[in-house]
Amino acid sequence: YAFACGGSAVAREGVLRTLFARNMWVAHRQGCCWGAYEEEALVCFFMLVPQGVGSPTPSICDLLRSGIFESLLRLGLRATLALARITAWAETAELDLLQGRTVLRLEGMVVRPSRQRQGIGTKALRAALRVADESGLEVFLATQEANSVPFYRRLDFEVVREEAYAPAGFVTWFMLRPVGGAGATA
């Protein structure tokens, strides 16, 4: 998002807040939200999204709900188009990697900074992964955070591709977790 926002931390935070709110709203309507609370405060949140959630040909209402028009107003046309190009690149890689397999997509995994490295994210994600296993579905994710890769590996995700987005120079790790975890495929 820094690439699309021209390096502005303020613009990046605004985009992330908008996207998070919109994604959470859509995922909540589809029953895709997971999280952990402590004393009524959300400390961990993520979405486990089935393929096909959302419309392949979005309507004007879908675009409004997704925040695309807000992005145009907040960021301008150039940054919004940059985000669209990044999204298309990632979606193309996902299609190539999955080769038509049905998976759940892990998105938006966040843990409140003051509660990181205390097992909260691991515990919440393990519960969701048990549901994925019971459903017989692999789980796919993409991350641009190098320090997140070991966390996901501990939960049996495997890096299936590491690729740089040339126009911006950032790296994305595309990861897949087999049904039942890594030991289940042996």
Side-chain angles (χ1 to χ4, degrees):
Y1 298 103
F3 167 71
C5 299
S8 166
V10 172
R12 180 179 180 266
E13 184 175 336
V15 167
L16 290 174
R17 284 182 186 276
T18 299
L19 290 175
F20 182 80
R22 298 295 182 197
N23 287 339
M24 185 173 172
W25 182 81
V26 169
H28 181 69
R29 289 189 60 207
Q30 298 292 331
C32 305
C33 296
W34 289 79
Y37 289 85
E38 287 183 348
E39 299 175 14
E40 299 182 20
L42 184 64
V43 294
C44 172
F45 174 83
F46 58 92
M47 297 169 283
L48 206 53
V49 182
Q51 288 174 307
V53 168
S55 172
T57 308
S59 68
I60 294 297
C61 290
D62 292 331
L63 291 173
L64 285 170
R65 282 191 290 269
S66 75
I68 188 106
F69 294 125
E70 186 173 344
S71 174
L72 281 166
L73 293 172
R74 206 182 265 266
L75 297 174
L77 182 60
R78 179 176 288 174
T80 301
L81 289 174
L83 285 172
R85 284 190 294 275
I86 292 166
T87 300
W89 169 79
E91 288 174 350
T92 299
E94 179 179 336
L95 288 170
D96 180 52
L97 289 166
L98 296 178
Q99 297 290 309
R101 295 198 315 253
T102 301
V103 299
L104 294 171
R105 187 181 311 108
L106 176 61
E107 297 180 0
M109 177 84 188
V110 293
V111 177
R112 185 178 298 262
S114 64
R115 301 299 285 136
Q116 291 177 357
R117 301 193 184 282
Q118 297 174 34
I120 292 168
T122 299
K123 184 177 178 181
L125 187 51
R126 275 197 178 127
L129 293 174
R130 279 193 294 277
V131 171
D133 290 343
E134 291 166 6
S135 300
L137 294 171
E138 297 172 293
V139 180
F140 180 82
L141 69 88
T143 183
Q144 291 79 41
E145 300 292 333
N147 60 350
S148 295
V149 174
F151 167 76
Y152 291 121
R153 280 191 169 134
R154 285 192 301 275
L155 293 165
D156 295 323
F157 284 86
E158 303 163 2
V159 174
V160 291
R161 181 181 292 171
E162 180 179 332
E163 187 173 335
Y165 180 68
F170 65 80
V171 174
T172 298
W173 289 266
F174 297 94
M175 302 182 79
L176 188 65
R177 181 185 180 273
V179 175
T185 59

